[in-house]
Amino acid sequence: MLIVQVIVNWLLLGSLYAAVALGFSLVWGIMNIVNLAHGAFILVGAYTAYWAFTQLHIDPFLGLPLTMLLLFCLGWVVQYVAINRVIRAPFLMTFLLTFGLDLLIADVVQLLFTSDRRSINTAYSGFGLTLGALHIPFDRLLAALIAVLLTAALSLFLQRTRTGNAILATGMDRDAARLMGIRIDRIYALTFGLGAALAGAAGAMLVELYPFDPSQGGVFTLRAFVIVVLGGLGTPWGALAGGLVFGLAETVVPLLPGIGPGYDDAIAFALMVLVLIIRPRGILGKAFYA
Amino acid sequence: MTRLFSYLHLPRRYLAHTGHDSSFQSRSSAVRSPLPTALLSLLLALFCSPGLLACGGTASSSNTLLFGAPLSLTGSTATEGHLTLEGYQLWVKEVNAHGGIKVGNTTYQVALKYYDDGSSPTRSAQLTQQLITADKVNFLLGPYGTSATLQDEAIAERYKIPMVEANGAAKAIFSRGFHYIFGVLSPASEYAKVMLEAALSLPNPPKTVAIISANDSFSEEVATAARDFARSQGIEVVYYQTYPSGATDLTGVLTALKTSAHGGVPDMLLGSGHESEAVTTMKECKQLNINAKLYAFTVGPATPDFITSLGPDANYVLGSSQWTPQEHYQGIDFFGTPANYERIYKQTFGHEPSYQSAESTAAGLAFQYAIQNAGSIDPQKVRDALARLNIMTFYGVIRFDATGANTFKPMATIQIQNGQVATVYPKEVANAQLLYPTPPFSQR
């Protein structure tokens, strides 16, 4: 029964990690920007949900659309005001800019909420389905389902709508897309906004499951980075695949005899190197901008 | 994230965009990755400079003693860093209000100079060097945490500036043969022992214990000491596991733990790590429906946001504490008693003191009495006076063994009861009964 529990833990955590990486993958895949402020957006999402829960008594899952909307606006503005200016500049400039944004946002969050650890405790936290020795917590299950739902929704949006197609077209060939009448700056702002909204959703779900403090943004940027490299760029399902592989390193591998949990980071990065050697595009990846 | 950057070795020419001049660069010349650090420093300067000015101690005039400290005001141990700072600040405020430190015929006012090390031990060491060489501090107060203390004490030793630290308890700090490091807090081996002793004092004590520990040197030292002590007292250690320090998810460890006691949940869960991991453990125990009879964490329950972030789930949890306001000490210092310290602290900062604050204040007191006893501000003489120090304070006895550790002060066990911290062990200082067993999460 332990095995079944571990597999359930793995699927729940892996899906949640997909949500962490989804926005990062979108922005990197379409715009070729490694958004180092991704973790900061997750942070803003987490603190928005925390604030809405403690001040307005809005459940973090029910408040998810609100959090995403707010983060979408933030992402749109950041892209339109700041990132669009350096989009043609060398790769390092966007790196620098997003790194600066990360510091700025994290410090503003710390200024507003202090560095104290925050966490949301809902009335239903701790409840779950119990089948014999197997226990599935409701809040984790809900978070995992939402993560899969967001992945599917993003995939459908990109494949089936005109706007989504325009985003993909911009990712494939920026200049050709412009010649077809696509407003590149708007598409970029939209993409970045979506990326931020997805990060916000991840943050809102994370703050219900884990304690949160303003120093944690960087941790999640790094994780999103590894997950995206593992899963591959260009498709939302890549983030899910990467999330599941990364979750494997954290939940299943440590329980194997002879390997303690102390090695899970090492294993995650070893997996990343392995994937890069065997399949440089990632498990499901197909880079557009190359 | 900064580590990610240091591998990239970003070229210096991009500095033009950040508006730095070369003089700024030269200050951080020892840094391996100039750009992110420079950027970081710029931002830190922007955010922290009001704080630096507010502490008011930049000038080392003839009648001012300048104390330096690198502190983790941002980053993973920012909460604890701020509590440490408040402890130092309270000492500075009170010592000046009480007329300063008398050395012979001269009276010295005290000032504090601190920097934010961003919870990075390497940065902490650089700042210690800067405090000694550029700011010319007279004495050093410790940073937050064992890792930073291990780095900083080596710098203090090199420059022969005494450092009294209040927030690094690992044996490693005092086993390097250094002569300029003194720690006012009880050593790591005591952290878990006092909670196991509290559990053993129960009429029907727990029979099995699971020990989980972060894999940093302090936490592992505490965990191994706990394992040995539990075994020596006849408590069966059914599960012992380390996890990466700073882990955000512990479901893997906790799932294995759930069936470790002959197929069931162990009577007692003992966590040795940091506050964030203690909160994560409690949250995930609830999610995974793990109901132990007793939860105990070496670090975490004593800090105020353990209760605020867990709400009612924080109840019944045991913690070990270097100091609690309920203890009975009659000190020779201006605070006198723990209760009085709590009152003054609350007046000054508007919230309850944690043990981190109290021990940090105690570090200041150690210096104060050592300097008075030495009758000099010469670093060597003050060091010798520290080595001979034996005083009773509001914080308990401050006295150092040959290695510089304070092995003479007992610790206390606390329990969260109805959202409040209660002292439950040792019985002489307790203000509440130990509540046992912990009801299952579903019945709270």
Side-chain angles (χ1 to χ4, degrees):
Chain A
M1 215 52 198
L2 178 68
I3 304 279
V4 184
Q5 180 73 58
V6 170
I7 290 173
V8 167
N9 289 348
W10 163 51
L11 291 175
L12 295 181
L13 187 69
S15 313
L16 185 65
Y17 278 150
V20 168
L22 209 51
F24 190 77
S25 165
L26 181 72
V27 170
W28 192 359
I30 302 297
M31 297 160 66
N32 196 18
I33 286 177
V34 176
N35 177 19
L36 296 181
H38 184 73
F41 288 139
I42 292 181
L43 211 59
V44 176
Y47 276 88
T48 307
Y50 171 77
W51 181 82
F53 180 78
T54 48
Q55 302 297 317
L56 311 173
H57 307 290
I58 299 175
D59 182 85
F61 287 117
L62 293 178
L64 214 55
L66 190 84
T67 311
M68 289 180 73
L69 185 72
L70 187 92
L71 266 290
F72 180 83
C73 298
L74 178 68
W76 178 291
V77 171
V78 164
Q79 170 67 26
Y80 219 84
V81 173
I83 297 180
N84 265 344
R85 293 174 195 279
V86 295
I87 203 93
R88 295 257 178 199
F91 191 61
L92 274 175
M93 281 311 294
T94 56
F95 228 70
L96 264 183
L97 184 63
T98 54
F99 180 63
L101 277 171
D102 180 67
L103 290 175
L104 185 72
I105 295 172
D107 277 349
V108 169
V109 168
Q110 179 164 336
L111 218 59
L112 292 176
F113 290 93
T114 76
S115 57
D116 287 358
R117 241 153 244 121
R118 307 289 184 185
S119 175
I120 290 178
N121 297 295
T122 53
Y124 54 86
S125 69
F127 286 90
L129 295 168
T130 308
L131 308 162
L134 177 68
H135 184 80
I136 307 174
F138 273 141
D139 41 11
R140 281 185 178 248
L141 184 65
L142 203 57
L145 287 178
I146 290 174
V148 175
L149 213 67
L150 285 174
T151 313
L154 181 66
S155 178
L156 278 178
F157 169 73
L158 291 177
Q159 300 293 340
R160 298 287 168 83
T161 63
R162 275 180 69 85
T163 321
N165 282 334
I167 291 178
L168 285 182
T170 312
M172 287 171 190
D173 191 329
R174 183 159 52 190
D175 297 317
R178 176 179 286 135
L179 292 173
M180 297 297 123
I182 293 172
R183 286 283 303 267
I184 304 291
D185 54 343
R186 286 193 188 165
I187 289 295
Y188 275 179
L190 179 69
T191 309
F192 204 79
L194 276 178
L198 291 165
M205 295 194 287
L206 284 169
V207 75
E208 171 150 7
L209 301 176
Y210 304 105
F212 231 83
D213 70 71
S215 73
Q216 269 174 321
V219 175
F220 287 107
T221 310
L222 196 60
R223 284 195 182 162
F225 185 83
V226 179
I227 291 166
V228 168
V229 173
L230 278 170
L233 286 169
T235 153
W237 299 108
L240 188 59
L244 286 173
V245 175
F246 192 81
L248 194 72
E250 242 181 32
T251 50
V252 179
V253 176
L255 294 176
L256 301 177
I259 309 173
Y263 294 100
D264 57 359
D265 275 352
I267 288 160
F269 282 95
L271 277 173
M272 186 176 94
V273 172
L274 203 70
V275 166
L276 282 175
I277 293 169
I278 299 171
R279 209 181 142 75
R281 286 178 295 167
I283 297 165
L284 294 177
K286 46 175 197 278
F288 289 140
Y289 55 83
Chain B
M1 192 43 51
T2 7
R3 208 185 307 159
L4 184 77
F5 268 93
S6 58
Y7 292 132
L8 294 169
H9 290 292
L10 300 183
R12 267 165 193 265
R13 62 191 159 91
Y14 281 103
L15 272 177
H17 298 286
T18 64
H20 282 304
D21 59 11
S22 54
S23 64
F24 190 88
Q25 268 297 298
S26 63
R27 251 173 55 185
S28 53
S29 55
V31 185
R32 214 179 299 156
S33 56
L35 185 56
T37 315
L39 261 176
L40 214 101
S41 315
L42 175 72
L43 278 161
L44 287 179
L46 279 174
F47 280 93
C48 301
S49 50
L52 284 177
L53 290 175
C55 75
T58 45
S60 173
S61 70
S62 56
N63 279 343
T64 301
L65 282 177
L66 189 57
F67 289 78
L71 292 166
S72 53
L73 302 178
T74 59
S76 57
T77 57
T79 309
E80 295 89 336
H82 277 282
L83 294 170
T84 307
L85 173 62
E86 288 177 357
Y88 291 154
Q89 282 175 329
L90 187 61
W91 170 68
V92 169
K93 178 173 159 271
E94 289 298 314
V95 78
N96 288 337
H98 286 80
I101 303 178
K102 267 212 169 76
V103 181
N105 294 327
T106 323
T107 305
Y108 288 92
Q109 289 286 297
V110 169
L112 177 69
K113 173 92 186 169
Y114 62 91
Y115 291 109
D116 177 16
D117 64 24
S119 303
S120 149
T122 332
R123 183 96 189 107
S124 189
Q126 289 160 8
L127 291 171
T128 306
Q129 178 126 17
Q130 185 173 327
L131 284 164
I132 296 171
T133 55
D135 299 315
K136 310 268 184 233
V137 298
N138 298 87
F139 303 105
L140 288 166
L141 291 162
Y144 180 80
T146 289
S147 314
T149 309
L150 278 168
Q151 296 273 335
D152 298 352
E153 63 168 340
I155 312 282
E157 185 77 16
R158 192 191 310 154
Y159 288 93
K160 299 198 187 308
I161 302 284
M163 171 187 264
V164 178
E165 61 97 359
N167 291 284
K171 205 187 286 169
I173 294 173
F174 306 103
S175 58
R176 298 160 87 183
F178 287 174
H179 292 101
Y180 290 83
I181 182 77
F182 298 91
V184 295
L185 69 180
S186 302
S189 53
E190 300 299 308
Y191 274 71
K193 193 175 154 196
V194 71
M195 291 190 291
L196 287 165
E197 281 174 349
L200 284 163
S201 75
L202 289 162
N204 187 14
K207 294 184 180 63
T208 52
V209 62
I211 300 174
I212 57 172
S213 168
N215 63 356
D216 60 282
S217 62
F218 166 71
S219 303
E220 287 208 53
E221 191 178 320
V222 171
T224 33
R227 181 174 59 187
D228 297 343
F229 183 73
R231 281 184 183 150
S232 74
Q233 299 296 313
I235 304 180
E236 189 186 353
V237 181
V238 289
Y239 186 71
Y240 182 88
Q241 185 60 270
T242 56
Y243 57 82
S245 192
T248 50
D249 190 277
L250 294 170
T251 43
V253 175
L254 295 175
T255 302
L257 178 152
K258 193 176 178 181
T259 51
S260 61
H262 316 292
V265 178
D267 291 342
M268 184 174 179
L269 194 168
L270 182 74
S272 167
H274 314 96
E275 191 211 345
S276 63
E277 296 140 21
V279 177
T280 305
T281 305
M282 287 312 289
K283 278 195 85 113
E284 292 187 343
C285 277
K286 187 178 182 186
Q287 286 164 7
L288 296 172
N289 204 18
I290 297 172
N291 290 298
K293 288 182 188 155
L294 203 56
Y295 300 89
F297 298 97
T298 53
V299 180
T303 35
D305 52 343
F306 183 83
I307 300 171
T308 52
S309 61
L310 279 172
D313 297 333
N315 289 334
Y316 300 96
V317 174
L318 292 190
S320 53
S321 187
Q322 290 280 352
W323 174 89
T324 75
Q326 286 87 34
E327 288 171 332
H328 305 292
Y329 294 122
Q330 192 58 54
I332 57 163
D333 57 300
F334 35 67
F335 296 107
T337 61
N340 194 40
Y341 179 81
E342 183 188 30
R343 190 182 57 78
I344 297 172
Y345 188 95
K346 244 179 131 171
Q347 264 174 16
T348 313
F349 298 110
H351 60 94
E352 301 280 333
S354 70
Y355 75 77
Q356 286 94 342
S357 311
E359 61 199 16
S360 303
T361 304
L365 291 174
F367 262 128
Q368 181 186 333
Y369 286 96
I371 293 167
Q372 275 174 14
N373 293 350
S376 160
I377 60 163
D378 174 58
Q380 185 59 44
K381 287 187 178 145
V382 172
R383 191 224 82 90
D384 295 343
L386 277 167
R388 288 193 305 269
L389 195 68
N390 182 3
I391 50 168
M392 180 53 90
T393 66
F394 82 95
Y395 171 74
V397 67
I398 301 180
R399 183 181 162 194
F400 306 105
D401 67 10
T403 65
N406 184 0
T407 46
F408 302 93
K409 181 189 75 69
M411 287 187 77
T413 298
I414 57 160
Q415 185 176 37
I416 314 292
Q417 300 183 347
N418 281 325
Q420 301 287 324
V421 175
T423 307
V424 294
Y425 188 86
K427 293 246 158 51
E428 308 86 81
V429 299
N431 69 337
Q433 283 277 329
L434 173 55
L435 299 179
Y436 180 85
T438 306
F441 284 109
S442 54
Q443 289 169 27
R444 297 204 203 177

